[in-house]
Amino acid sequence: MMEVNEKIAIEHGLKSDEYKKICKLLKRTPNITELGIFSAMWNEHCSYKSSRIHLKKLPTKGKKVIQGPGENAGVIDIDDKDAIVFKIESHNHPSFIEPYQGAATGVGGIMRDVFTMGARPIANLNSIHFGSPQHKKTKNLLRGVVHGIGGYGNCMGVPTIGGQTSFDSSYNGNILVNAMTLGLVKKNKIFYSKAAGLNKPVIYVGSKTGRDGIHGASMASASFDDKIEEKKPTVQVGDPFTEKLLLEACLELMAGDSIISIQDMGAAGLTSSSIEMASKGNLGIEINLNKVPCRETKMTPYEIMLSESQERMLIILENGKEDLAKKIFDKWNLDFAVIGKTTNTKNIELFFDQKQVAKIPVNTLVENSPMYDRKWKKSKLPKKIKHDRSKLKNLKIKETLKKVLSSPNICSKEWIWQQYDHTVMGDTIQKPGGDSGVVRIHGTDKAVAATVDSSATYCWAHPLTGGKQVVCETWRNLISVGAKPIAITNCLNFGSPEKEENMGEFVECVQGIGEACKYLEYPVVSGNVSFYNQTKEIGIKPTPAIGGVGLIKDYKKMITMNFKDTGNQVLVIGKTEGHIDQSLLARLILDEKNGPPPEVNLFNEKNNGETLLNLIEKNFIKSAHDVSLGGIITAISKMCIKGNKGIELKLPKFLINEIEYFFAEDQGRYIIEVSLEDLKDVTKILDKNSVHYDQIGKIIDKELIINQKTKVSIDELKSYNTNWLKEYMN
């Protein structure tokens, strides 16, 4: 067996002082298996050692929250006997190294997190971010990731109902792949990972253990360098057909009363699953590694414990239920093995070839894992840019609109989502391409809406404001389809926490997320932190991805964004001040990358959103869409395209010019369509609730007309918006 020393510990991703701490806690030098276990449990990906101290400040409780952070996924109450289990997680590093398998196993992993809790997955979403379209790797990475997401989700028979894709040069050396899953469960059939009881059998089920994915969690906690290709063996290999069998077998076993606790083998595999279960239950676990089903010969204890082979679960059963459970897993043609038992020792004890090969107190791996209060640098709110008024006035609105609609971050992502099955299960009632995906809860009038969003540009300009904004964006996306927002999950993607600037971005983004969630009563119930998203010293822009979930009590009241009928009136809810700093207009057209992001007024966000929900409830709203990237004119153009309708727009009598009005990215705004008959009632409610609105136009056929002089046909709008990605990927 290899002799362990400080050099080997550092090669495992541990710091010198962390290695010394391990020796002190154990009162001896660890052996190689024990060192591997510590390196897995103490890395950033598993221990959250740089983020725990800040994540504790997030609001996690609410009237509808059944389970907040700390479990495999969050759980919210959606009335009657139903609950939704959901979470978002990153698979960034693996996807950059091997895009198909990296993305596929990211989807597989997040689905296991959800069905581990007893929920049947009903919807997938994703947030994926790539480098500049001109970068030599971008096209192949995009193709591989999309095929991987589709390949796994489609085989599992779970619809992909929404997502987000962006391009930015900061992702050239480190793409982001964040996968989100929602599952449906009965409130009285939720399963948890806390071990309980002594001498209870510990069961291994699913696929056999191989050498794939060893050091996957450690790799996810390190920066990239020139030796990326060498890291391919650390990427797990997924098999969606086996996962489908595992899902059905687990749900069948869960229908009875055999399971005490259950945990999927995700990052750090058998190591993290066994230790987390023991830690939560304040127990020990003893494992005979000779009994672990292996698909490769002569696997060592070190390899068995650190393998991240996919489609595996660890279950603690009630005594005497082994035969019943084995029959179920045999039926589904899956491995089943009793590999150990719970103990009162509070140690993780491993045996191999009749020798003890590891003995570690569980608390040294969890409670005593490092927690750092890292130094961080506070960001300043940038000064507003004094834009050249004459330059703005000289811009031609049609020309500008064309450039914006066809830009990579605005253009239609149909090429992507058409490769995902979004209708399987038959309950998807709003497919990708709208503000939120919506699935009906089978056999009821209820529907659940879900959305995922991020805003790296705003977060980079001012992390505190950007953190608030991205929460509010998901809030608006849910409200725009008629859903009451309930809770969020977050995937926080940042550079190295060892750099004060990056750590500052993280701390302030989390602060912004917390402030918005608290004010909107929209708690955080699950999430994931992904640090070290950088190659050499070049890091990504801070990219917190927020997944929001909301409830529509009567799915027949769901709202879509496509314009409906000619003659209907179109209003902008929320005030337009003309904020163009950090907007798409500023960056794309004016070539201006400085200035502050738009201000976020939480009172207005809440008031405007709740008022719109009230109008939807009263059946006044024919269509709605939130105003975000690209401003009012971009939102309206997409509503025209979706509905194949035109609009006659009239600029309100403001002091700002039409370019500023139409392309500004002020927050808290929506476009709504109402009938002429209902207009008076609608404006009365808006006035009563002190909600600012502009009446800006009426729906007509086949043409967008601005101030009676600028005319764009719907066919032109469609070609601007749909061609770029298709042509790029050909």
Side-chain angles (χ1 to χ4, degrees):
M1 194 180 275
M2 186 190 289
E3 188 100 4
V4 170
N5 55 35
E6 190 173 309
K7 183 173 175 285
I8 290 169
I10 289 166
E11 285 168 2
H12 276 70
L14 291 159
K15 306 286 186 206
S16 172
D17 59 337
E18 290 174 346
Y19 173 65
K20 285 170 186 160
K21 185 177 176 180
I22 291 167
C23 295
K24 194 176 171 184
L25 286 166
L26 290 178
K27 297 178 180 150
R28 58 180 171 85
T29 303
N31 63 39
I32 192 65
T33 303
E34 292 170 329
L35 184 75
I37 289 169
F38 270 103
S39 79
M41 292 303 296
W42 281 21
N43 66 47
E44 198 70 62
H45 192 75
C46 293
S47 74
Y48 292 79
K49 58 190 175 188
S50 301
S51 58
R52 283 203 319 266
I53 197 165
H54 302 287
L55 296 174
K56 285 176 180 177
K57 297 168 189 171
L58 290 170
T60 57
K61 292 184 167 62
K63 289 175 195 165
K64 295 279 188 182
V65 176
I66 295 172
Q67 174 66 51
E71 265 296 336
N72 286 294
V75 189
I76 55 171
D77 188 338
I78 58 161
D79 301 336
D80 310 311
K81 294 175 180 177
D82 299 320
I84 292 289
V85 178
F86 68 104
K87 189 182 181 184
I88 188 169
E89 203 155 60
S90 62
H91 231 222
N92 304 334
H93 285 47
S95 301
F96 187 66
I97 298 165
E98 216 299 299
Y100 184 92
Q101 288 296 352
T105 51
V107 172
I110 196 65
M111 280 200 270
R112 281 197 306 282
D113 278 341
V114 165
F115 75 74
T116 300
M117 299 196 70
R120 180 174 289 281
I122 57 169
N124 288 332
L125 298 94
N126 53 75
S127 177
I128 52 180
H129 305 265
F130 299 91
S132 160
Q134 288 76 41
H135 191 269
K136 61 184 181 184
K137 286 189 172 181
T138 296
K139 195 182 288 190
N140 285 337
L141 286 167
L142 174 60
R143 186 174 275 113
V145 164
V146 169
H147 286 172
I149 292 170
Y152 209 103
N154 296 355
C155 290
M156 283 291 293
V158 178
T160 299
I161 64 165
Q164 177 209 15
T165 306
S166 83
F167 300 87
D168 187 278
S169 59
S170 80
Y171 308 117
N172 283 351
N174 197 123
I175 64 171
L176 302 181
V177 175
N178 297 174
M180 177 175 168
T181 294
L182 280 72
L184 179 65
V185 68
K186 294 293 177 191
K187 282 186 277 196
N188 63 347
K189 290 299 276 184
I190 300 166
F191 287 82
Y192 298 96
S193 57
K194 180 181 173 182
L198 293 179
N199 294 313
K200 302 292 182 185
V202 176
I203 316 292
Y204 172 114
V205 299
S207 289
K208 286 181 167 60
T209 295
R211 289 189 171 95
D212 54 318
I214 292 171
H215 294 306
S218 302
M219 178 267 293
S221 304
S223 305
F224 284 141
D225 52 31
D226 295 326
K227 296 177 180 174
I228 284 170
E229 290 301 308
E230 293 174 16
K231 297 186 179 188
K232 279 198 174 180
T234 62
V235 178
Q236 312 93 325
V237 178
D239 177 359
F241 297 105
T242 302
E243 178 134 335
K244 176 68 175 161
L245 299 177
L246 184 60
L247 162 69
E248 298 302 340
C250 286
L251 291 180
E252 188 174 332
L253 184 61
M254 286 165 167
D257 57 0
S258 305
I259 296 175
I260 294 171
S261 64
I262 179 166
Q263 174 77 38
D264 83 296
M265 293 190 217
L270 187 52
T271 289
S272 62
S273 52
S274 57
I275 289 161
E276 282 171 20
M277 291 170 98
S279 170
K280 286 172 184 172
N282 200 24
L283 292 170
I285 284 181
E286 188 180 290
I287 296 173
N288 181 347
L289 294 175
N290 293 99
K291 292 187 175 177
V292 173
C294 294
R295 65 166 183 262
E296 297 180 50
T297 56
K298 295 183 178 173
M299 285 189 71
T300 64
Y302 177 95
E303 290 172 325
I304 294 168
M305 288 304 290
L306 294 185
S307 165
E308 292 187 10
S309 295
Q310 298 290 285
E311 297 87 36
R312 303 178 301 157
M313 294 276 189
L314 203 61
I315 303 174
I316 296 173
L317 284 181
E318 292 286 3
N319 292 107
K321 299 288 185 177
E322 296 93 328
D323 288 348
L324 180 149
K326 187 174 184 310
K327 274 180 190 166
I328 292 172
F329 285 90
D330 285 351
K331 181 182 94 175
W332 291 99
N333 202 24
L334 293 162
D335 276 286
F336 177 98
V338 181
I339 64 168
K341 62 181 183 182
T342 59
T343 68
N344 63 0
T345 63
K346 298 183 185 179
N347 295 325
I348 189 88
E349 293 174 86
L350 307 178
F351 294 85
F352 189 70
D353 291 350
Q354 286 153 352
K355 291 179 194 156
Q356 190 174 72
V357 291
K359 183 180 180 182
I360 309 173
V362 170
N363 65 0
T364 63
L365 294 160
V366 184
E367 291 93 334
N368 289 322
S369 66
M371 184 163 75
Y372 297 127
D373 187 0
R374 296 195 185 273
K375 287 183 180 173
W376 57 277
K377 198 172 170 184
K378 195 172 173 66
S379 62
K380 286 180 185 169
L381 187 68
K383 285 182 180 169
K384 282 195 172 181
I385 305 294
K386 287 180 180 174
H387 297 279
D388 187 338
R389 284 275 184 278
S390 60
K391 199 173 174 183
L392 284 169
K393 280 180 181 173
N394 289 336
L395 289 175
K396 299 277 188 292
I397 197 158
K398 186 172 178 177
E399 200 82 352
T400 307
L401 181 59
K402 182 181 178 178
K403 283 179 184 170
V404 166
L405 282 179
S406 59
S407 64
N409 290 337
I410 289 285
C411 74
S412 167
K413 303 302 186 298
E414 201 167 345
W415 180 88
I416 294 172
W417 58 257
Q418 275 186 337
Q419 297 180 58
Y420 307 147
D421 192 336
H422 44 267
T423 57
V424 65
M425 297 176 99
D427 283 317
T428 306
I429 55 174
Q430 188 154 172
K431 62 185 187 184
D435 282 306
S436 299
V438 184
V439 285
R440 190 177 53 192
I441 302 300
H442 204 74
T444 75
D445 289 334
K446 295 182 295 196
V448 170
T451 181
V452 62
D453 224 302
S454 66
S455 181
T457 301
Y458 292 170
C459 292
W460 170 79
H462 191 243
L464 181 67
T465 306
K468 288 183 202 175
Q469 189 279 334
V470 68
V471 171
C472 294
E473 174 71 18
T474 65
W475 164 270
R476 291 197 296 274
N477 286 341
L478 293 171
I479 283 171
S480 297
V481 300
K484 182 169 174 54
I486 296 177
I488 71 161
T489 180
N490 59 40
C491 191
L492 307 173
N493 307 279
F494 291 80
S496 168
E498 295 167 50
K499 287 185 176 177
E500 288 183 27
E501 196 170 299
N502 291 348
M503 196 64 210
E505 288 171 343
F506 175 82
V507 172
E508 293 191 290
C509 269
V510 168
Q511 189 186 333
I513 291 167
E515 283 179 24
C517 287
K518 192 175 178 183
Y519 193 89
L520 298 172
E521 298 171 90
Y522 188 38
V524 182
V525 296
S526 58
N528 167 234
V529 177
S530 175
F531 279 131
Y532 298 99
N533 288 292
Q534 60 189 50
T535 294
K536 295 181 179 175
E537 293 300 301
I538 302 166
I540 63 162
K541 284 180 179 168
T543 313
I546 305 289
V549 178
L551 178 66
I552 304 173
K553 286 192 173 179
D554 180 357
Y555 71 84
K556 295 184 283 300
K557 290 192 173 185
M558 179 187 77
I559 301 293
T560 56
M561 64 192 268
N562 49 303
F563 280 145
K564 303 297 186 299
D565 296 306
T566 54
N568 282 349
Q569 300 296 300
V570 175
L571 281 66
V572 180
I573 285 182
K575 195 165 186 181
T576 305
E577 303 277 5
H579 187 101
I580 58 174
D581 289 347
Q582 297 301 336
S583 68
L584 200 61
L585 176 83
R587 284 175 283 126
L588 187 71
I589 311 295
L590 307 174
D591 197 28
E592 176 57 73
K593 298 195 170 43
N594 297 313
E599 187 188 339
V600 176
N601 182 315
L602 292 172
F603 173 82
N604 287 345
E605 286 284 1
K606 195 173 188 181
N607 189 38
N608 295 359
E610 287 179 344
T611 304
L612 178 50
L613 272 184
N614 180 22
L615 292 170
I616 292 169
E617 185 58 34
K618 289 181 163 45
N619 296 316
F620 286 141
I621 305 297
K622 308 299 178 193
S623 68
H625 182 29
D626 83 303
V627 179
S628 55
L629 201 61
I632 288 171
I633 196 72
T634 303
I636 283 174
S637 297
K638 288 191 173 185
M639 295 172 87
C640 290
I641 293 166
K642 290 270 186 191
N644 206 28
K645 295 279 181 201
I647 185 169
E648 194 173 337
L649 287 170
K650 201 173 175 186
L651 186 74
K653 288 172 182 161
F654 282 159
L655 297 173
I656 57 176
N657 65 48
E658 63 182 21
I659 291 284
E660 283 179 280
Y661 182 78
F662 283 128
F663 292 96
E665 292 181 11
D666 302 84
Q667 298 296 292
R669 297 179 300 161
Y670 305 82
I671 310 293
I672 60 168
E673 173 190 356
V674 300
S675 70
L676 199 55
E677 300 87 72
D678 292 334
L679 184 63
K680 199 173 173 185
D681 288 330
V682 168
T683 55
K684 198 173 169 183
I685 291 170
L686 292 170
D687 287 333
K688 187 186 168 193
N689 290 356
S690 305
V691 173
H692 181 96
Y693 65 90
D694 301 329
Q695 194 175 334
I696 60 163
K698 65 173 181 182
I699 295 171
I700 57 172
D701 277 323
K702 306 285 179 174
E703 209 170 22
L704 185 151
I705 304 171
I706 302 167
N707 284 341
Q708 297 176 330
K709 57 181 189 229
T710 305
K711 295 182 179 181
V712 194
S713 73
I714 303 306
D715 287 342
E716 282 179 285
L717 288 176
K718 281 179 185 170
S719 70
Y720 301 162
N721 195 232
T722 55
N723 290 350
W724 183 82
L725 190 56
K726 280 192 282 191
E727 287 169 7
Y728 177 69
M729 294 309 297
N730 279 342

